[in-house]
Structure formats: structure tokens, C-alpha cells
Amino acid sequence: MKFRKLSRKPALRRAVLKLLVRDLILKEKIETTEKKGKELVKLFNFLIERAKKEKESQRRTLLKYLSGPALTKMIYELGPRYKERKGGYLRIIKLGHRLSDGARLCQIELIK
């Protein structure tokens, strides 16, 4: 499988991942379920590769997923920060199970 369905329809799945990416960019550390986190890592890696390149076409790709302060931070702070790095932009820390439904939780943070 290329991606996880996350028990949602495609439009809702895209919306959830966009919100998670936005929060991760702005806060640099979030807590979510493992399955959402693993999908988030894939999308974030795709976006940071686009932010590292300084071409207009790459920035238009970022506009599809981000807007406002998240887009600005991605282009002007995170892109240059990871310019020399070839991968491994995020760290996933497993936190255990959620009490209410038993879902596995993880913390995702940007590597400085």
C-alpha cells in the first residue's frame, strides 16, 4: 500500500494531514497517533524537499499544502535550515497507549 486510509474519506484524510503538517511546522513538536504520524512523515519529507529548492515551481507545489505563517516558515526558516541535510528531518518518539481507546501515541518533532 502506498498510504494509509486512516478510516477517512480522501478529502478528510488530506485535510487532517494538512493540519498536522501545519501544526508541526509552527510548533515544531506535536503528539498524535502512530499511523497518522507515519503518514505525516511522508508528507513532511515531500514538502521539505520542495522548500530546500529555491525555484518558483517548487514554491507553487508548497502552496497546494500550506498557507500563511506555515508557508513562510517552511520557505524562509526550515528550507535553509535543512539545505545541507539529505534526510531524517523528523524524530518519532513512541509514547505508549491512549487510555480512552488504546490507540498507540507518538510524539513527532523536528530535528534541529
Side-chain angles (χ1 to χ4, degrees):
M1 254 173 59
K2 280 188 169 181
F3 58 89
R4 291 171 180 82
K5 293 189 178 184
L6 304 176
S7 299
R8 287 171 172 81
K9 293 183 179 179
L12 291 175
R13 185 171 49 244
R14 280 191 294 271
V16 166
L17 289 174
K18 282 183 185 182
L19 289 173
L20 285 172
V21 166
R22 186 197 66 192
D23 287 344
L24 179 63
I25 291 168
L26 295 177
K27 297 176 185 175
E28 297 195 5
K29 182 188 293 187
I30 62 169
E31 186 177 311
T32 185
T33 62
E34 277 188 32
K35 300 217 182 228
K36 286 181 196 170
K38 288 179 180 180
E39 285 301 308
L40 172 65
V41 168
K42 288 181 192 178
L43 180 58
F44 186 82
N45 287 338
F46 171 78
L47 293 176
I48 198 68
E49 289 297 324
R50 301 306 177 272
K52 286 168 47 174
K53 299 174 184 169
E54 297 173 356
K55 294 182 181 176
E56 187 64 30
S57 61
Q58 303 297 333
R59 291 185 180 193
R60 285 193 189 118
T61 304
L62 287 174
L63 273 171
K64 292 179 184 177
Y65 296 94
L66 302 171
S67 64
L71 178 65
T72 305
K73 186 172 181 178
M74 180 67 101
I75 292 173
Y76 296 110
E77 289 181 36
L78 298 181
R81 183 195 302 179
Y82 296 123
K83 191 82 169 167
E84 300 300 318
R85 194 174 185 101
K86 297 199 186 250
Y89 311 108
L90 299 175
R91 177 180 296 127
I92 299 177
I93 302 168
K94 295 181 181 181
L95 299 176
H97 296 281
R98 187 164 45 201
L99 290 176
S100 62
D101 61 355
R104 287 188 267 177
L105 295 176
C106 68
Q107 179 178 333
I108 300 176
E109 57 187 29
L110 294 175
I111 295 177
K112 300 283 180 184

